[in-house]
Amino acid sequence: MGWRQTNAVDHQYCVGGKFCAPAASPGACCPQLRSVQESDAMPGSSPNGGFACFADFYQFYLGEHANRACRRLHFVGTTLALFCLVAFVLSGGVPWWFLSALGAGYGFAWVGHFFFEKNRPATFKFPIYSLMGDWVMWWEILRGRIAF
């Protein structure tokens, strides 16, 4: 299956000091990226899986979260993870809170992917960008820019 176009979001997130215009389609920010196959490995050996720009990855990430139930589970899990991280800091670093944050964040997200979206979480191939994408998507849902 090729690229799934979803809500284009007018972000300007990039890494490595590169400024990108809003990405409305795959490759808009990073022309060397033509398309993404869900089952294919990305070219390059960078920790970001060949995505030179977060804006392009984020379009891919949104395509991997097209199912509303999956997005809702991500939002709930990320919100619970945020509360657990706050509790971790306020408790002086009690490890249980940090482990709870990981369990809530990944647990809810993976249920969404395996049972609703029926795809493999992007975390397995793109751990850094995936974590960034989760927080950006959470913020966009909170602001009403992505449907909850």
Side-chain angles (χ1 to χ4, degrees):
M1 178 186 293
W3 186 276
R4 286 186 285 168
Q5 188 68 28
T6 61
N7 305 355
V9 181
D10 61 348
H11 294 293
Q12 297 176 345
Y13 300 104
C14 288
V15 295
K18 181 180 175 195
F19 183 79
C20 294
S25 64
C29 179
C30 305
Q32 70 272 22
L33 180 64
R34 301 290 183 254
S35 67
V36 176
Q37 295 293 326
E38 291 177 5
S39 60
D40 293 344
M42 294 302 300
S45 59
S46 75
N48 301 320
F51 289 103
C53 175
F54 179 72
D56 274 347
F57 172 80
Y58 191 58
Q59 293 302 305
F60 165 74
Y61 186 84
L62 289 176
E64 296 294 296
H65 298 84
N67 182 281
R68 190 173 218 167
C70 181
R71 282 195 312 272
R72 287 177 175 172
L73 285 166
H74 270 68
F75 186 82
V76 169
T78 302
T79 302
L80 290 173
L82 181 61
F83 285 131
C84 290
L85 290 173
V86 168
F88 173 73
V89 170
L90 294 177
S91 71
V94 174
W96 184 87
W97 285 113
F98 185 75
L99 295 174
S100 295
L102 291 175
Y106 286 112
F108 277 83
W110 291 355
V111 166
H113 282 286
F114 294 129
F115 296 104
F116 294 96
E117 196 73 55
K118 301 200 186 321
N119 63 11
R120 189 172 180 199
T123 302
F124 297 123
K125 287 186 181 179
F126 317 108
I128 296 169
Y129 272 178
S130 180
L131 181 62
M132 291 169 59
D134 188 53
W135 286 102
V136 172
M137 186 174 71
W138 179 84
W139 180 244
E140 296 301 319
I141 290 171
L142 188 67
R143 293 175 54 205
R145 295 186 71 190
I146 294 177
F148 181 74

